[in-house]
């Protein structure tokens, strides 16, 4: 009786040419979840990351692993899954390059687990995580300190060099990246990429810009990566 139940349960996991046994499913899923925890711990511990981001890193390997196990050896299922994933659009704010690296690592781990290359998944995950921790400890690379500055000016101002003296005083570099009109063309919105000489002087710089742009809107924030669609 027990053998019959196990056989029936196994048949439920049958996908065309590929049979997914309960033991292989549980083993691969458990491995993917454990490696997801390792990835999340490495890329989130001691950093200002949200709980949802950490949970995403934990679950991505297991989700990708399940998809690969279902698609493996079945062209029709693969095409259907490709179409389904093509409908997905991520609406979250773009993260740092390091965040994207962590997500790709989770996907690669899931792919390895889904094809039942568990040892390769374990070795690869630990090598990448160890390399990340090592580079972090050695201080490899440094933050650029680049910020995104948006300034609104009236149409009467010539935006080409109106703030050059202020930028020379407070920034190491400044680049005008975009100009667009607003409010029926009566205002211009300027977008700069800047690197401050001293971050503590940010307010002083904004105050001087305010006196020159007629106290119109100004915003200064962290530069973010552009998404593929934006590029």
């Amino acid at each position: 009786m027990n053998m019959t139940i196990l056989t029936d349960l196994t048949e439920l996991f049958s996908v065309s040419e590929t049979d997914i046994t309960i033991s292989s499913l549980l083993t691969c899923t458990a491995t993917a979840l454990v490696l997801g925890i390792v990835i999340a711990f490495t890329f989130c511990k001691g950093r200002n990351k949200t709980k949802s981001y950490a949970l995403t890193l934990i679950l991505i390997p297991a989700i990708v692993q399940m998809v690969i196990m279902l698609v493996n050896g079945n062209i029709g299922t693969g095409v259907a899954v490709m179409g389904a994933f093509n409908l997905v659009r991520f609406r979250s704010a773009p993260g740092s390059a390091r965040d994207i690296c962590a997500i790709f690592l989770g996907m690669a781990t899931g792919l390895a687990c889904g094809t039942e290359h568990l040892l390769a998944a374990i070795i690869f995950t630990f090598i990448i995580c160890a390399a990340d921790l090592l580079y972090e400890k050695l201080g490899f690379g440094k933050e650029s300190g680049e910020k995104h500055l948006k300034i609104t000016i009236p149409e009467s101002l010539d935006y080409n060099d109106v703030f050059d003296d202020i930028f020379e005083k407070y920034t190491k570099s400044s680049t005008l990246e975009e100009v667009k009109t607003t409010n029926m063309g009566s205002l211009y919105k300027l977008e700069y990429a800047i690197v401050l000489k001293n971050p503590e002087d940010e307010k002083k710089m904004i105050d001087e810009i305010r006196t020159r742009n007629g106290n119109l809107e100004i915003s200064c924030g962290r530069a973010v990566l552009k998404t593929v669609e934006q590029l």
Side-chain angles (χ1 to χ4, degrees), residues 9 16 34 61-62 119 124 130 164 215:
L9 288 174
S16 188
V34 171
L119 183 59
F124 177 75
D164 284 357
N215 208 29

Side-chain angles (χ1 to χ4, degrees), residues 119-139:
L119 183 59
I122 294 171
I123 294 175
F124 177 75
T125 300
F126 275 92
I127 288 176
I128 298 300
C129 289
D132 177 79
L133 293 174
L134 178 62
Y135 291 145
E136 174 94 4
K137 193 167 185 65
L138 293 176

Side-chain angles (χ1 to χ4, degrees), residues 27-95:
T27 302
C28 292
T29 303
T31 304
L33 287 173
V34 171
L35 294 178
I37 293 173
V38 173
I39 295 172
F41 181 84
T42 302
F43 285 85
C44 296
K45 180 67 174 178
R47 300 180 177 91
N48 188 23
K49 301 300 177 183
T50 63
K51 185 177 180 180
S52 62
Y53 177 70
L55 184 61
T56 299
L57 291 182
I58 293 173
L59 297 182
I60 276 182
I63 295 171
V64 174
Q65 163 256 319
M66 188 62 198
V67 172
I68 296 304
M69 291 187 77
L70 291 173
V71 172
N72 190 21
N74 192 311
I75 298 177
T77 306
V79 173
V81 171
M82 184 184 302
F85 272 93
N86 191 46
L87 297 176
V88 177
R89 293 292 183 270
F90 295 97
R91 297 301 181 188
S92 58

